[in-house]
Amino acid sequence: MERTSGSTKFPLGSKLPSFALPNTDGREVDDSYLREGKMALVVFTCNHCPYVKGSEAKLIELAKQYEPSALRVVAISSNDATKYPEDSFELMKSKAAELAIPYPYLYDESQDIARLFDAACTPECYLFDASGSLVFHGAINDSPKSAAGVSRAYLAKALQQLSEGQKPDPAEAHPIGCSIKWK
């Protein structure tokens, strides 16, 4: 699924909303964790999506590159685990351990947070500046299924620009991935 335009419900400039979700390590994580950094990244993701599988190594690499002083990252799975059992909270825990994911991997069972962000697919990124304003929305890169095919690294460029005090350009890169599996 490719979103053809930016969100009208959660446009650039939107403020980082308040939320609290369970993490795969058993603790609850809320938006205050994200506000501790100079940049905050929320990524809607899941276990089964081939677009996620093809780009999560890059996401982990970027998180390690910019954390812990500048960037706080959370990944959120909002898929209906009843219809898509591979996206269950138990299997999220296994994936987090297996990949040694260096950021909280949160479960949005109610799907309320995905709706709050107007998220449509996985992976879908929301990058906020130090004031908590959305400055980049969209894809990790232009080839999320295959790292070998990447010619435009949208998220990496946005992180670099924001860390250098610039506004990300482009500020939007239409996310490409599997649709969120709604209840």
Side-chain angles (χ1 to χ4, degrees):
M1 172 186 179
E2 183 172 350
R3 178 178 270 177
T4 57
S5 63
S7 171
T8 56
K9 293 181 184 176
F10 202 83
L12 291 172
S14 294
K15 290 296 185 181
L16 176 64
S18 296
F19 65 87
L21 293 169
N23 188 11
T24 53
D25 69 1
R27 294 178 291 158
E28 187 173 87
V29 173
D30 63 31
D31 57 287
S32 67
Y33 167 79
L34 291 168
R35 296 175 197 281
E36 293 170 5
K38 296 175 185 165
M39 301 180 288
L41 177 63
V42 176
V43 181
F44 286 89
T45 188
C46 69
N47 286 357
H48 86 273
C49 173
Y51 296 91
V52 168
K53 289 178 180 180
S55 55
E56 62 196 348
K58 185 60 177 178
L59 182 61
I60 290 169
E61 177 188 319
L62 288 169
K64 287 179 178 178
Q65 179 182 344
Y66 286 95
E67 277 186 328
S69 61
L71 178 67
R72 293 285 187 256
V73 179
V74 297
I76 301 174
S77 179
S78 300
N79 279 353
D80 179 356
T82 302
K83 292 179 187 165
Y84 295 85
E86 192 177 340
D87 293 331
S88 73
F89 192 49
E90 288 306 311
L91 292 178
M92 287 173 59
K93 291 176 186 178
S94 298
K95 176 182 175 176
E98 179 183 321
L99 296 179
I101 294 175
Y103 41 80
Y105 188 18
L106 310 178
Y107 187 40
D108 178 23
E109 184 175 13
S110 70
Q111 301 182 321
D112 290 344
I113 306 309
R115 284 186 177 87
L116 183 63
F117 278 81
D118 194 29
C121 66
T122 60
E124 187 167 358
C125 303
Y126 296 80
L127 179 62
F128 298 85
D129 65 14
S131 72
S133 293
L134 182 65
V135 294
F136 172 82
H137 169 234
I140 293 172
N141 57 53
D142 64 345
S143 182
K145 269 189 179 178
S146 171
V150 173
S151 62
R152 293 187 196 142
Y154 301 118
L155 180 60
K157 183 177 178 183
L159 285 165
Q160 179 183 353
Q161 290 172 325
L162 188 57
S163 72
E164 294 171 353
Q166 302 168 24
K167 288 196 177 273
D169 182 21
E172 291 188 276
H174 302 304
I176 304 165
C178 296
S179 64
I180 289 181
K181 307 310 181 199
W182 300 105
K183 294 180 182 179

